Amino acid sequence: MAASPASLRLFFALWPDEATRSVLAGLLPPGQSGAGRPTAPENLHLTMAFLGMQPAQVLPALEQVLQAVDFPELRLQLDRYGYFQRARIAWLGMQHPPPALLQLQRELSAALRACGIGHDRESAFRPHVTLARNAPAAPRGRAPEIVWQAPQLALVQSTTAPRGPIYEVLAQRAPG
């Protein structure tokens, strides 16, 4: 079923600063160079809640959720590679996600449920940055450590294009 112009594919994400984005853009797991479809640098992010197709009229409620959740300063230590076999996604994640990150995701999920807005399951949350899609199997394990001070929580729209998804930040906020 095709989406109507009144529906938007949406998600909440931590949006990296330019320095972190630059480091992530050149990073692929060992054995991945030239394989798969690397994530466009401007699309690198960590999804906090995937909302899927939503009617455009929920945007004001989503912007209120964005402003209402407690978004603390987060220091993320990206230090391990991973691979989602079914989706063929190579990713970079955390050996030990900070409790504040997990709490932010739980609070975001609760706020979305309170508004009656459907989203992916809280129990499915595995914080990661997608490095490549259609990737061959990637080794799991340690990666060069990247420290990311997450500066933005964003509401993002995803549009499918022939060259891959295009992400547009619709609203964002800084910690605090």
Side-chain angles (χ1 to χ4, degrees):
M1 179 169 106
S4 73
S7 340
L8 307 169
R9 187 169 193 224
L10 302 169
F11 61 94
F12 282 98
L14 294 179
W15 214 248
D17 57 82
E18 288 305 315
T20 303
R21 183 180 308 281
S22 177
V23 172
L24 291 170
L27 189 63
L28 282 176
Q32 293 293 302
S33 182
R37 190 178 76 227
T39 300
E42 64 274 13
N43 286 349
L44 292 164
H45 67 278
L46 189 151
T47 300
M48 295 298 294
F50 180 72
L51 310 178
M53 296 304 293
Q54 297 289 332
Q57 61 261 30
V58 303
L59 285 175
L62 293 174
E63 289 179 21
Q64 287 178 350
V65 165
L66 176 66
Q67 297 307 319
V69 295
D70 180 27
F71 176 36
E73 290 195 21
L74 294 171
R75 181 181 181 273
L76 306 178
Q77 187 173 324
L78 303 169
D79 59 1
R80 65 177 273 237
Y81 290 116
Y83 185 72
F84 295 134
Q85 184 86 26
R86 280 180 92 170
R88 299 184 62 215
I89 291 175
W91 52 266
L92 183 65
M94 293 162 262
Q95 178 93 14
H96 302 287
L101 174 67
L102 302 176
Q103 178 59 34
L104 172 60
Q105 199 280 331
R106 285 190 297 269
E107 187 176 331
L108 186 56
S109 288
L112 291 167
R113 278 193 308 276
C115 291
I117 297 171
H119 61 289
D120 57 354
R121 295 183 326 266
E122 183 178 331
S123 63
F125 184 59
R126 188 179 305 176
H128 68 279
V129 176
T130 297
L131 297 175
R133 297 180 184 282
N134 298 321
R140 298 175 193 261
R142 301 286 298 166
E145 183 178 303
I146 297 172
V147 176
W148 173 12
Q149 297 290 137
Q152 297 293 327
L153 178 62
L155 172 62
V156 183
Q157 177 181 352
S158 173
T159 305
T160 303
R163 61 182 168 87
I166 298 170
Y167 297 152
E168 177 185 355
V169 174
L170 302 178
Q172 60 188 328
R173 67 172 280 208

